[in-house]
Amino acid sequence: MRSIAKGLGLGSAAMALTALTALAWPGTAGAAPTGTASLYAPSALVLSVTAGPDAETGTVLRAVTLVCSPTPGGTHPNPAAACAELRANGSQLDPLAAPAADAVCTREWNPMTVTAVGVWQGRRLSYSYTFANPCGLRHTSGTLFGF
Amino acid sequence: MRSIAKGLGLGSAAMALTALTALAWPGTAGAAPTGTASLYAPSALVLSVTAGPDAETGTVLRAVTLVCSPTPGGTHPNPAAACAELRANGSQLDPLAAPAADAVCTREWNPMTVTAVGVWQGRRLSYSYTFANPCGLRHTSGTLFGF
């Protein structure tokens, strides 16, 4: 435990304090009162689907939240599977987004863009992937963008 | 009901379909199955606190999610109050972030940066505010960044 604490740059006294704080604030998973550190490297994401090729200017059709520590949660329809995929892939999300190899889609240009923004394991994440058309999105490889 | 549907650019048939879909997926507040529209303009945010003046490169200390429709939720410690503040202020968040006028703080430079990224009422939101030091953050005006 001591070596893990050192690895995270936290003293064991600070960890003990954080553990007590977590007990005192049972309803705020992932959050800690102002001024204290969390026991977990924070992970909190917003995933969205936008019509068009540009996530900044297109119409946002759907957006969900995903939290992976201490337990999977959020408004994503399958947070446990999505968190497992993220842990397996790190921040390289193309294999999760791209249409499955066996997907059968027409090839017209009617783009849909998915994004993931927020914090993953303490680091900022900003990702986007544009599908040629909605069929590609329906056949996305992972569950992460299947909402 | 019909006039609201027109205002949102949705036909009543689409609304009825969405309502049925919502009944069929009771556990996915804010999310809809791939390919269908949601009844609500999506709102899903990640709020974070970063050490230092630059949210992109600093260490993310804490991050929470906030969802405001259909009901307030997420890992934010007080989602109802935070959503009410967002509705009152739109995307102008400086009055919510800045230290309260009556805050008594020293003035040393030990910056802390808060961010809000994601989607607010169907539009992308990317906001950051840098406090001169942690005292400023502890005296933030609103509850939005009080986590």
Side-chain angles (χ1 to χ4, degrees):
Chain A
M1 195 66 177
R2 186 171 293 263
S3 63
I4 293 170
K6 280 182 182 168
L8 291 169
L10 296 168
S12 49
M15 288 194 72
L17 178 63
T18 310
L20 286 171
T21 308
L23 289 173
W25 288 57
T28 58
T34 304
T36 65
S38 167
L39 191 60
Y40 305 91
S43 289
L45 295 172
V46 170
L47 311 170
S48 70
V49 174
T50 299
D54 184 348
E56 292 306 311
T57 59
T59 303
V60 182
L61 301 177
R62 301 187 289 280
V64 297
T65 59
L66 180 66
V67 175
C68 294
S69 66
T71 55
T75 58
H76 190 286
N78 193 344
C83 289
E85 289 177 358
L86 279 170
R87 279 193 207 96
N89 283 268
S91 50
Q92 299 298 315
L93 303 188
D94 279 353
L96 300 177
D102 60 352
V104 178
C105 284
T106 52
R107 307 188 69 158
E108 85 279 11
W109 183 242
N110 176 19
M112 303 283 282
T113 302
V114 295
T115 66
V117 298
V119 180
W120 173 248
Q121 295 185 339
R123 297 179 188 185
R124 275 182 195 281
L125 175 68
S126 182
Y127 174 81
S128 76
Y129 185 93
T130 298
F131 297 90
N133 55 55
C135 174
L137 173 56
R138 279 196 301 276
H139 291 87
T140 179
S141 293
T143 60
L144 185 66
F145 293 110
F147 59 86
Chain B
M1 196 64 178
R2 185 171 291 264
S3 62
I4 292 171
K6 280 183 181 169
L8 292 169
L10 296 168
S12 49
M15 289 193 70
L17 177 62
T18 311
L20 285 172
T21 306
L23 288 173
W25 288 56
T28 58
T34 305
T36 65
S38 168
L39 192 59
Y40 305 90
S43 290
L45 295 172
V46 170
L47 311 170
S48 70
V49 174
T50 299
D54 184 348
E56 292 305 313
T57 59
T59 303
V60 182
L61 301 178
R62 301 188 288 280
V64 297
T65 58
L66 181 65
V67 175
C68 292
S69 66
T71 55
T75 58
H76 189 286
N78 193 344
C83 290
E85 289 177 358
L86 278 170
R87 279 193 207 94
N89 283 266
S91 50
Q92 300 298 313
L93 304 188
D94 278 354
L96 300 177
D102 59 354
V104 178
C105 285
T106 53
R107 307 188 68 160
E108 86 278 10
W109 183 242
N110 177 18
M112 302 283 281
T113 301
V114 295
T115 66
V117 298
V119 180
W120 173 249
Q121 295 184 341
R123 296 181 190 184
R124 272 179 200 282
L125 176 68
S126 182
Y127 174 82
S128 77
Y129 184 93
T130 298
F131 297 90
N133 55 56
C135 175
L137 173 56
R138 279 197 300 277
H139 291 87
T140 179
S141 292
T143 61
L144 185 66
F145 294 109
F147 59 87

